[in-house]
Amino acid sequence: MASATSTGRKKAARKKKPTGRKSKPQPTLSRQRKPEDMSLEQWQAALRRQFGRTQAFELENVGEHPIFSRFAVTNPRTGRSYRVTIRGRDEQGRADHHCTCPDFLVNALDTCKHIEFVLARLERRRGGRASLAQSWRPAYSEIYVRYASQRQVVFRPGTACPRRVAEMLGACFNREGVLTARGYSRLPGVLAKVRQQAGGDHELRVSDDVMEMVARVRDQSALQRRLDRAYPTGLTATAARKLLRVGLYPYQRQGALFAARAGRTLIADEMGLGKTIQAIAAAELLARHASVQRVLIVCPTSLKHQWAQEIARFARRDDDDIHVIEGPGHTRQAAYGSPAFYKIVNYDVIHRDLAAIQGWSPELVILDEAQRIKNWKTRAAMTVKQIDSPYAIVLTGTPLENRLEELYSIVEFVDRHRLGPMFRFLAAHQHVDESGRVVGYKDLDRIGKTLAPILLRRTKKQVIRELPERLDKRLFVPMTSQQQAIHDENQEIVARIVAKWRRYHHLSDADQRRLMIALQNMRMACNSTYLLDRKTDHSAKLDEAEATLADLLEPDDAKIVVFSQWVGTHELLARRCDARGWGHVMFNGGVPGPQRRKLVQRFREDPDCRLFLSTDAGGVGLNLQHAQAVVIMDQPWNPAVLEQRIGRVHRLGQAGAVRVVHLVARGTIEEGMLGLIGFKQSMFKGVLDGGAGEVFLGGSRLKRFMESVEKATEPIHAPPAEEPVDADAEPSADEEDADAAAPAGDDAEQAWARFATAAVGLIQPLADALTTGDGAGQARTQPLSRLVGRDETTGEPCLKLPLPDPRTLTRLTKLLEQWAKPDGKP
């Protein structure tokens, strides 16, 4: 093996012989000021070239070629040695040189002071400069990591590379020779086959950092898949109890799982939010799902025994699994050989114990109070960053105190490539004056986005009251006689269909549709007759809602979210809001997508916008936690929908208690639904909330649905013997002990008359479909009194409705189908 050895110090000591020529003075670059004619990258590369070519490093060729080889570069002052690889230029003129020093691995410049030192020494040799300028490829093939703007694993075939080897590796690399995403999982197996088939016929060199990078990517992907399978809905309270001796708050469970999935992470929660227990939980997750057995905790001296106590309190570990490392040097050295799962050490001894720590090879390193390494120039920071481990958790409540360099230094331990080279990071985010002094920062939001995969930051304001107090109140409101009439008529339809179900245990498609419409009409009548006839507004509930809103809006800054399934309810509320001068927005499925964000923004930012009137289109995905109260105008059949409504306001980040007011029509289907929601939450999955287009498939689903209908309508089958509430009377809003108000027992003829009134009221807005015009355009309608009569055969009262012409009937059918759907939308 050819080698060349030289000592930089001896060369530097030699006197130069006069050549008779004047050498051109080399320009000196300032590390503080970038020349105007240079880009940032050019300037940084030039600085390294200038510095490296003046060093007195020791150089040794440890390869075969005199130029394109591997070299050991040693700093005699520090004793550190790095491996430099000089490669020939490829077809694009790129020279993929490489160095193992930390600067080269992160600067994305394809050079460093060690590479520049080697190049300068090689150029001095006879023919060295000309050789370096040539394109040169060795006979052997090579797989290595290219540290450019992003790290890439690269395959460079040699001149003697057999075709079958190139084809086999081609399954992992693209045409440019870069390892593909799928190639990370395939490469180890392909390499084994290449070595088996090619044997010693062809030399394939694979650098150590390639296999390290491939292994980490594969292991982390496999860990994430295992965690996702084990906790498909996140780390639940039950799972956390099995993991630790104590329960965790939801945000702590999220933090622990986040840290385990990320592998290397920074938990920067505000002080007092339990970063310690999150780290312990994450360590136990990694022990369970990544086979981690060696955990090193580095913390201030004053916290070592506190950590030991916390682990003993929270983790399901024996005392032998917790070892505080302290005492003289020989005692500490022996302690690293103990089988303890957790080893706890302080920052002050890391420098002296580094060799023992590296020999022990921890799998997970937890840094507590990580601001201790915020100054990258300190010995503690530089030493800690030499500890290598597959997993790391960094804990600090103050990752950034004064300068961006502090954040960079801390993140560098977690992921040295995350923020890129420091010179580029600072240039992108610092404002400097003419003298180079930092006077401000910019584009800080980009830093947060860059760190999002590894950084978790929550403040006390966000989570200290993760589930703030929720005050639920039910107001039972009586019905007007007009509402009750519609409700009872539809109740009779439901009762007949339920009786048919009990008898035959089967319903035809027509009966199912009739049942859906009747139930929907009962629920709509509980809010107002307006929802059915689009003309009248008989509603005790709307009046009570107005009074409730007036109370809730007493504080000047109060904001309220009002939910109803039907747009018609909000139309009535909007009239009352306008009359009182209450600013509001209406949010429903008919609002175009681009306008929805503006409505939410106005409600959040406009102090005069006090009410957010929303259908269930706003029950999912919106964050309305700046409101203080939720008013539920009608109870949904699906309990999950109810919780979604309330969850828009009662959620993480809510600063205070949330008042939830449920307005319930007394003695109606709504009151029956309360018990159903209360203890039959999983009876069925929102069948009715799908609207009139929902199709029942029969079988067990229909059976469960019919059982829920029976339960929901049981309380209202027998109307109490009270006089109906007068439509013009002042509505009452007594609490749960008030009696239900319903119409008295009318005779059959009066009941039919009331039904006729309600039926015509239902279709009154469809006047165009129910009337015929004369020559003058005058509409002719049938008087209501002429619609009720008696059957000529039986003498029973009956309803006589004249049928319109076929075209009008078609229009009427379409409008009625539309009417039966939620929100009144087709």
Side-chain angles (χ1 to χ4, degrees), residues 149-344:
S149 56
Q150 65 181 82
R151 291 185 298 164
Q152 297 174 324
V153 177
V154 177
F155 168 54
R156 190 175 187 182
T159 55
C161 180
R163 181 176 179 179
R164 67 180 184 278
V165 172
E167 289 176 349
M168 293 173 68
L169 289 172
C172 300
F173 296 84
N174 61 22
R175 294 182 178 180
E176 287 72 35
V178 178
L179 187 65
T180 62
R182 297 181 64 183
Y184 280 94
S185 60
R186 295 178 175 180
L187 185 61
V190 171
L191 287 177
K193 290 182 180 179
V194 168
R195 293 191 177 100
Q196 181 180 5
Q197 295 185 18
D201 297 341
H202 180 66
E203 182 181 5
L204 174 63
R205 297 180 179 180
V206 182
S207 59
D208 294 338
D209 51 356
V210 167
M211 300 315 298
E212 178 185 351
M213 182 173 172
V214 169
R216 288 199 175 183
V217 171
R218 291 179 64 202
D219 292 348
Q220 194 59 34
S221 297
L223 173 60
Q224 291 176 356
R225 289 194 297 270
R226 287 194 296 271
L227 290 171
D228 290 343
R229 286 195 299 266
Y231 312 104
T233 60
L235 185 61
T236 62
T238 302
R241 276 284 186 183
K242 294 178 180 179
L243 195 70
L244 301 178
R245 299 180 190 272
V246 298
L248 297 175
Y249 290 111
Y251 74 89
Q252 293 174 331
R253 299 198 299 267
Q254 176 200 15
L257 190 57
F258 177 89
R261 290 188 85 261
R264 302 182 68 86
T265 187
L266 170 59
I267 299 180
D269 288 346
E270 201 171 39
M271 184 184 300
L273 297 186
K275 294 186 290 293
T276 299
I277 194 171
Q278 292 180 67
I280 295 172
E284 295 298 332
L285 283 171
L286 291 172
R288 180 175 296 184
H289 299 285
S291 302
V292 167
Q293 294 297 320
R294 300 184 298 277
V295 179
L296 177 68
I297 299 172
V298 185
C299 63
T301 304
S302 59
L303 298 180
K304 287 195 300 184
H305 289 278
Q306 180 177 325
W307 263 95
Q309 293 171 1
E310 297 287 90
I311 294 171
R313 176 186 172 192
F314 298 139
R316 298 181 182 275
R317 296 275 175 183
D318 298 332
D319 293 342
D320 293 341
D321 275 333
I322 309 166
H323 197 149
V324 177
I325 297 178
E326 52 191 353
H330 66 278
T331 303
R332 299 197 310 271
Q333 300 295 321
Y336 289 108
S338 72
F341 182 81
Y342 292 100
K343 293 184 175 68
I344 308 169

Side-chain angles (χ1 to χ4, degrees), residues 452-730:
I454 65 167
L455 171 66
L456 199 60
R457 168 73 173 176
R458 279 81 58 92
T459 65
K460 285 182 180 178
K461 186 177 180 181
Q462 290 175 306
V463 300
I464 199 65
R465 301 182 68 180
E466 180 149 1
L467 290 176
E469 188 178 10
R470 170 174 153 180
L471 306 174
D472 282 73
K473 183 178 182 181
R474 290 173 178 170
L475 295 179
F476 287 81
V477 184
M479 297 263 279
T480 65
S481 59
Q482 292 86 350
Q483 290 175 279
Q484 196 74 53
I486 298 173
H487 182 275
D488 289 353
E489 292 294 345
N490 284 276
Q491 178 187 334
E492 291 175 6
I493 298 173
V494 171
R496 287 196 295 269
I497 297 175
V498 168
K500 183 181 293 187
W501 163 258
R502 288 173 179 168
R503 183 175 181 180
Y504 299 107
H505 297 286
H506 171 75
L507 291 180
S508 66
D509 291 344
D511 280 338
Q512 291 183 39
R513 285 193 293 271
R514 290 175 60 220
L515 177 64
M516 286 283 292
I517 294 173
L519 289 170
Q520 195 86 308
N521 289 345
M522 291 171 70
R523 296 178 61 213
M524 294 167 74
C526 291
N527 281 7
S528 172
T529 56
Y530 175 79
L531 274 64
L532 293 160
D533 63 20
R534 294 287 165 168
K535 182 177 180 180
T536 62
D537 180 15
H538 300 292
S539 173
K541 184 186 284 189
L542 267 295
D543 294 334
E544 182 61 35
E546 182 179 357
T548 300
L549 292 175
D551 292 337
L552 294 174
L553 290 172
E554 267 191 17
D556 293 336
D557 60 344
K559 288 180 180 285
I560 304 170
V561 179
V562 183
F563 276 104
S564 174
Q565 183 174 337
W566 297 284
V567 173
T569 303
H570 293 315
E571 291 175 353
L572 297 176
L573 280 173
R575 297 176 188 175
R576 289 164 167 78
C577 291
D578 292 336
R580 287 193 172 243
W582 296 335
H584 62 277
V585 294
M586 291 181 63
F587 190 103
N588 56 69
V591 176
Q595 294 183 19
R596 296 187 177 192
R597 183 178 178 184
K598 294 180 180 179
L599 294 180
V600 176
Q601 185 176 5
R602 182 190 167 197
F603 178 61
R604 180 185 297 117
E605 298 176 0
D606 184 358
D608 294 327
C609 185
R610 311 290 300 281
L611 294 165
F612 191 90
L613 310 180
S614 178
T615 63
D616 288 323
V620 179
L622 294 184
N623 294 328
L624 304 172
Q625 63 266 39
H626 48 284
Q628 292 79 40
V630 181
V631 175
I632 306 296
M633 293 297 298
D634 37 71
Q635 300 294 313
W637 282 84
N638 189 350
V641 174
L642 178 62
E643 291 306 314
Q644 286 171 356
R645 292 178 176 183
I646 300 171
R648 297 308 96 206
V649 177
H650 181 253
R651 59 191 293 111
L652 184 66
Q654 174 58 248
V658 175
R659 297 180 65 181
V660 182
V661 180
H662 303 259
L663 293 172
V664 182
R666 194 171 52 193
T668 68
I669 187 173
E670 284 193 338
E671 190 170 356
M673 289 168 63
L674 288 179
L676 192 67
I677 291 173
F679 76 42
K680 287 283 186 179
Q681 293 203 354
S682 60
M683 181 64 71
F684 49 93
K685 304 295 183 182
V687 175
L688 285 181
D689 287 338
E694 179 72 26
V695 177
F696 294 101
L697 303 178
S700 59
R701 187 181 184 189
L702 178 59
K703 181 175 183 294
R704 291 195 301 271
F705 173 68
M706 291 306 301
E707 289 172 351
S708 68
V709 170
E710 290 187 75
K711 289 184 178 296
T713 55
E714 274 175 2
I716 56 174
H717 284 325
E722 262 189 35
E723 291 296 322
V725 177
D726 184 21
D728 299 324
E730 192 69 20

